[in-house]
Amino acid sequence: MAAVVDTANPIHVRGLRKRYGNASVVQDVDLEVHPGEVFALLGPNGAGKTTTVEILEGVRRRTGGDVSVLGRDPAEDAPEWRARLGIVPQTTGAYSDLTVREVIEHFAAFYPAPLPVEQAMEMVGLRKQERKQAHQLSGGQLRRLDVAVGIVGDPDLIFLDEPTTGLDPAARLEAWELVRYFADRGKTTLLTTHYLDEVEALAQRAAVIVAGKVVEVGTVAELGGRRDTPAVVSFTRVGRMAGLTLPLLPPDALVDPSDDEVVTLHTHSPTQALAAILPWAAEAGVHELPDLRVQRPTLEDVYLKLISENQGADS
Amino acid sequence: MTTPDAAVARKGPAARTATGRGSGLWRASMARSSVELKSFFRNKQSLFFTLLLPVVLLLVLGSIFSGTVPGTHTDFKQTFVAGIIACGIMSVSFNGLAINIAIERDTGMIRRLASSPMPKTAYFVGKIVRVVVTGILEAVILLAVGVSLFHLPLPATTEHWVTFLWVLLLGAMACSLLAVAFSSVIPNARSAAAIVTLPFLVLQFISGVFFPYSQLPAWMQTIAAFFPLKWMTQGLRSVFLPADFAVVEPAGTWELGRTAAVLGAWCVASLLLTLLSFRWRGANVK
C-alpha cells in the first residue's frame, strides 16, 4: 500500500483539519516531507502555517486528518519521540536570571545524546556571551539562544518557525549555516519563513499555504509554474533600429505590441532570441542595446501571484 | 567534555534507548531543581516579595505592637510571630509558585519544556525543591528574628517541634498545590503579583495573623476557617503559646486533628484542581 511508503517520510500529512468553533484555520492539508530535505512552508500571516507546524510538533491538537511525524502520531507526545525533534517556536522565549550556558545545559539534560554545549553555543554564535544572563542579551541574541535550545538535542527532524526574524544580516547567514549543518548530516528541516531569499538559499521544496489550504507544492525551482513561465527580454530601440521590423525570433516569442520604443518579448528561449536580436541591432549600427534586460520570474513574483490569485478566489 | 564527533558517534538507536527512563527522570529533575533555585535566588523581585516581605512585616509590625495578652504574662508579639511564620510559608509556596508558573507560562519556558523530552514529573520535582528550600529558609529566618528580637520561645518539647514541622509541611504542600491550580486563572505574567497578593492579603487579615482570631467577627472566622492559612496559624500558636491559651481558640482547644484534616483536604482538592487545570500547551502557553 502507498501508505507504507508514505509513513517512511519524516512528515506525512493527509487531510489535516483544524477548526476553532466555526472557523476553519487549516483545511484538508496534505504534506509530504522527504528524509534529509529542507522543506519550506510559505504563506501570508494568519494562513495557518504556525497552526500546522504546532500540530506536527504535538503542541496543538488537530480536528481531523492523518498525521505521522517520524512514524508517530504527534498527539501521543511520547518522550522518546520528542528526543528526536528539535523545535524553535515562533515567539522568542525569555530565560531571565539564567546565563546562556546554563539555559543550554539545562535543556541538554533532557536529551539522551545532546550536542556538546560548547558546540551548540558555537553554532548559534553565542560563545562570547556564554556567561551573560538572558535578560542582558539583545533581541537577536535571544533568538539565537532559542535556536540553540531547539537544536541542542541533536534532532533528526527540526521545526524552525521563522527562525531568522529579527536577526541582522550576518546573524541570518549564521542561522543558514546551522540549517545546512543539519541538512548535510541527513537531518530533515521544516522551515517557516517570510524571507524568500531564505527559501531559495536553503530549501529544496516548498509548500504555499493560503487561508488554511495548500495552494502549491513543489521544488523551489518549479514553484508556481516558475519553470514554465517565459522569461522577459526587453530593450529600447534607438537610432536606425526604430524603423526596422524585428528579426526572426524563436517560435514561442510573444512581442508586446503596446510600446514601439521599448521592445518587450516573452519567450522560453531568451538566449536564442538574443542570438537573433544582437546581429540585427549590429546591422543597424547599434552595438550596445540600451536598457537590455533578461528577467526570469523570481520566487517572490511567483509567490505574490499565488497569494493574490488564491486570496481573491476566497473572498 | 566530548568532541562533536564523539557526540555523533555515540548517537544512534542504542544510545537513545540505553538511557533508561529512571536515570532520565533523575537527570531532568536535577536540571530543573538547579534552575529553579538559581532563578529564585538571582531574581530580586522573587527574593523580596516572597522571601523578605514577611520578614519586613515581622520587623515593622513587631516593633509597633507591644504589651501582653490581657490577663496573662505572655507577650502579644508571640501570637503575632506565630501568624507571620505561617504567612511566610504561604508566601513562598502559594505566592511564589503561582507567580513563578504564570511567568514561565507567559515567557515560553513551559512551552519549551513541553516541546522537549523532559519527563513531566521533573517539572514538579523542581517546584517541590524550590518550595522546600525556600520554605525552610523562610522558617529559619523568621524563627531567628522572632527569637532574637521578639522573645519568641523556641518550641519547648519534641512534641511541639513535631507539630511545628508537620503544620509547615502540610501547609506548604496544600498552598503549593493550590498555587499550581491558581496560576491558571492568572492571565499574564505582568498581573501575576497583583492577582496573587489579593487573596493572600485578605486571608492574612481574616485568619488571625494581625488581629487575634478570637476577636474577629464570627462570619469572618467562618470564612477564614474554609482556607488553609487560619489552620496554619492556629497550628503554630499551639507550638509557640502556653497550653492554657487554647481556651481563647473558638473550639477551646488547638484542634490539631482538625487542622491536619483541613490541610489534608486542601491538598487533595488542590491536587484535583491542578490535574484539571494545569496546561502544558494551548492558547495561554506562549
Side-chain angles (χ1 to χ4, degrees), chain A residues 14 41 50 66 90 106 124 129 163 176 192 201-202 212 231 283-284:
Chain A
R14 278 290 169 278
L41 210 51
T50 295
D66 290 334
Q90 195 177 93
H106 163 254
V124 298
Q129 284 78 24
W176 291 10
T192 313
L202 297 174
E283 238 170 71

Side-chain angles (χ1 to χ4, degrees), chain A residues 54 91 95 102 146 154, chain B residues 11 32 42 107 111-112:
Chain A
E54 287 181 351
T91 48
Y95 310 89
E102 284 166 349
D146 245 355
D154 197 8
Chain B
K11 187 138 180 168
R32 279 308 305 157
R42 283 179 196 168
T107 57
R111 186 198 170 118
R112 277 159 184 78

Side-chain angles (χ1 to χ4, degrees), chain A residues 29-63:
Chain A
V29 162
D30 293 347
L31 278 181
E32 216 57 63
V33 177
H34 305 146
E37 76 178 349
V38 177
F39 188 93
L41 210 51
L42 300 171
N45 289 328
K49 302 186 299 285
T50 295
T51 304
T52 302
V53 169
E54 287 181 351
I55 289 168
L56 300 182
E57 293 168 351
V59 298
R60 210 174 272 265
R61 301 222 176 274
R62 62 184 186 269
T63 308

Side-chain angles (χ1 to χ4, degrees), chain A residues 239-306:
Chain A
R240 286 200 284 129
M241 281 198 299
L244 295 176
T245 46
L246 289 170
L248 186 64
L249 293 169
D252 74 327
L254 280 175
V255 181
D256 190 346
S258 65
D259 194 332
D260 270 347
E261 197 188 348
V262 179
V263 178
T264 306
L265 58 94
H266 303 258
T267 173
H268 284 99
S269 319
T271 314
Q272 284 179 44
L274 279 176
I277 289 166
L278 293 178
W280 166 81
E283 238 170 71
V286 178
H287 295 279
E288 190 58 52
L289 282 176
D291 306 322
L292 173 65
R293 295 171 80 175
V294 179
Q295 283 173 287
R296 293 182 183 275
T298 64
L299 184 57
E300 189 162 331
D301 297 334
V302 171
Y303 172 72
L304 292 175
K305 188 159 164 274
L306 273 171

